[in-house]
Amino acid sequence: MRRFAMRVVSELAQASSMGHAAPNTIIAKLVTDFARSGDSHALSALYAEMRMRRVSAEDVLDAYLPNALGVIGREWHNEEIDILHASLACARLQNLLRELGRAWASDRMGPVGDGRILLTLPKGEQHTFGVMLAANQLRRIGVSVKVMLLPVATELRDVLSQNRFNAVFISVSNKTSVLPCAAMVRELRTWSQEDIPIVIGGGLVSRENSDTDHRRIADITGADVVTSDIGCALHSCGIQQAIAAAE
């Protein structure tokens, strides 16, 4: 199945029919069906459909996986599935993210950018899938990304003292994570050797997307920028080389 994925991505490396069109309902269903069941036949059908419809790995990573995650989340919220089935579905989507990302990387190298970013989650967060999607998107446009999930203060201290980053991106999904995020920002300010830009994004920022909401989150956390737009985040941190690829 991995070799099949490699071949499909290779064939689609230079072409994608999606553009600004709405996601294809057949592919969206196949991704969601695979998340629910883990059935290899659903995965084979997905790769075949991608190849036939000229849908690239980037399209699946950026549009169809988040869509499937939203479907699974709504089913769990509406008590149509239990937490075990929801967790298994998310794990399968994360595995698909890894496989398509690996296939994409093996087929072609992304443009070389000038950015190095630390991407992390504050204490109490449990939604790692969005972080992995963001890391994948950043790497594809040539940004070097170090992912740290729920690090303690000493881990932040060590990584900041041993590495130079252009920015720190923090993903926040829930309101309950805002105060832990503020504590993380204070730790980052303490341990960073330079005045490093700190950007907050994630599900909470996407939902509360007014300027007033963003200013409130910035005021509470002490972050420099609050945005769910990768291009805007890169620009605000002075990472210019990758912006054209992000847009």
Side-chain angles (χ1 to χ4, degrees), residues 106-185:
S106 73
D107 183 72
R108 56 177 176 174
M109 295 297 293
V112 177
D114 61 355
R116 299 189 73 237
I117 289 173
L118 174 62
L119 179 60
T120 188
L121 285 172
K123 182 179 179 182
E125 278 288 345
Q126 298 179 356
H127 302 280
T128 62
F129 189 85
V131 171
M132 303 312 295
L133 278 173
N136 184 281
Q137 290 176 334
L138 287 164
R139 287 167 178 155
R140 287 189 346 243
I141 60 177
V143 177
S144 175
V145 183
K146 166 73 174 177
V147 178
M148 296 184 73
L149 303 178
L150 310 176
V152 298
T154 52
E155 291 173 328
L156 283 176
R157 178 198 62 195
D158 291 344
V159 76
L160 288 170
S161 64
Q162 296 168 13
N163 300 271
R164 293 175 63 87
F165 297 101
N166 296 97
V168 179
F169 287 8
I170 305 174
S171 180
V172 180
S173 297
N174 301 301
K175 290 182 179 180
T176 55
S177 299
V178 172
L179 291 180
C181 184
M184 172 175 274
V185 170

Side-chain angles (χ1 to χ4, degrees), residues 28-29 31-37 66-90 92-93:
K29 183 178 185 302
V31 174
T32 306
D33 286 348
F34 170 70
R36 292 191 184 107
S37 67
N67 175 76
L69 187 66
V71 171
I72 298 300
R74 287 190 294 273
E75 289 178 348
W76 175 69
H77 181 76
N78 295 332
E79 298 183 347
E80 297 171 24
I81 58 175
D82 59 26
I83 187 63
L84 174 60
H85 286 89
S87 298
L88 287 172
C90 290
R92 291 173 187 131
L93 289 174

